[in-house]
Amino acid sequence: VFTPIIALKEFLSHYPNKKPYLVTTTEVEREFHDIAQIKGSEKADFVIISDFHDDWSVDRLNEAFKYVLKGAMLLGTQGNRYYLDRNGEPVIDTGSFVQMLASAANVTPRIFGKPSVDYFNNALKKINLAANETIVIGDDLESDIQGAYNAGIKGVLVKTGKGQSLTPSEMLIKPYKIINSFSSILEFF
């Protein structure tokens, strides 16, 4: 398994003397326990935006914005605009907050998860496979399928989650294959 947190921690390992300001959940924050973080009035070198639904606060975003204005690099764990909650209702996702801060500060963020081409390429490197030897299976046309396509990987759309209401005729992004569920992946092979 290759996650955006793993990719981000690998990136940060190249900058041992730089400190981030985290806008994350408490659970994700624990993943960064071994990385020095800013304290008090210290200057942040990086602003990391991840899921932060357990401590939503516009003040946290504004603090992050101020650090970015002062020169901190804006890093996001993914670029999704929204996700579906357990009831199938859309909820604003991390990518929307990253893009909002980037727009307000007039900077280009670095995304460490989908749909970033770097993310897919790093995952390929980890599993030691070429793009043409790999498929990505996902329910999100933008982050899963388009992200895979941009990295030269075939994307298989699964008709669950975000993919369940999509019809082939309305898809601007064309998946390599469409399957009804993850369990039907064996039929594909």
Side-chain angles (χ1 to χ4, degrees):
V1 174
F2 187 69
T3 69
I5 300 300
I6 292 170
L8 189 49
K9 287 179 72 175
E10 285 180 5
F11 171 80
L12 292 173
S13 72
H14 297 288
Y15 303 95
N17 298 321
K18 304 224 179 235
K19 296 180 179 180
Y21 173 73
L22 301 174
V23 181
T24 68
T25 62
T26 303
E27 181 181 1
V28 170
E29 191 170 324
R30 284 193 292 266
E31 294 289 327
F32 293 92
H33 73 279
D34 55 339
I35 295 172
Q37 296 172 35
I38 64 165
K39 292 183 173 89
S41 62
E42 287 183 320
K43 177 183 177 286
D45 299 294
F46 304 108
V47 167
I48 297 172
I49 308 291
S50 182
D51 299 328
F52 60 104
H53 55 80
D54 67 346
D55 187 15
W56 160 249
S57 164
V58 73
D59 294 331
R60 289 178 82 190
L61 287 173
N62 199 48
E63 191 70 18
F65 171 63
K66 290 175 187 177
Y67 285 126
V68 173
L69 284 179
K70 291 177 183 176
M73 182 185 291
L74 180 57
L75 311 175
T77 56
Q78 46 98 344
N80 289 348
R81 295 179 297 129
Y82 71 97
Y83 67 93
L84 299 180
D85 68 12
R86 290 189 173 121
N87 298 320
E89 295 294 321
V91 178
I92 295 173
D93 206 351
T94 303
S96 290
F97 293 108
V98 172
Q99 289 306 318
M100 178 186 71
L101 287 179
S103 175
N106 196 30
V107 298
T108 301
R110 181 155 180 190
I111 304 297
F112 284 82
K114 299 179 289 186
S116 166
V117 171
D118 288 339
Y119 176 71
F120 286 98
N121 287 336
N122 286 336
L124 289 172
K125 198 181 305 179
K126 286 279 183 197
I127 61 175
N128 199 30
L129 290 173
N132 65 357
E133 300 173 302
T134 310
I135 62 169
V136 168
I137 303 168
D139 70 339
D140 188 308
L141 274 175
E142 293 175 352
S143 65
D144 299 330
I145 307 307
Q146 186 67 50
Y149 175 78
N150 291 345
I153 304 169
K154 292 176 180 169
V156 175
L157 179 70
V158 63
K159 298 283 284 178
T160 60
K162 285 184 180 179
Q164 66 188 340
S165 62
L166 299 171
T167 61
S169 62
E170 66 187 1
M171 292 180 197
L172 297 177
I173 300 165
K174 301 296 183 196
Y176 173 71
K177 179 92 173 152
I178 299 173
I179 59 175
N180 290 324
S181 68
F182 281 106
S183 62
S184 62
I185 193 65
L186 295 177
E187 297 166 20
F188 172 71
F189 290 110

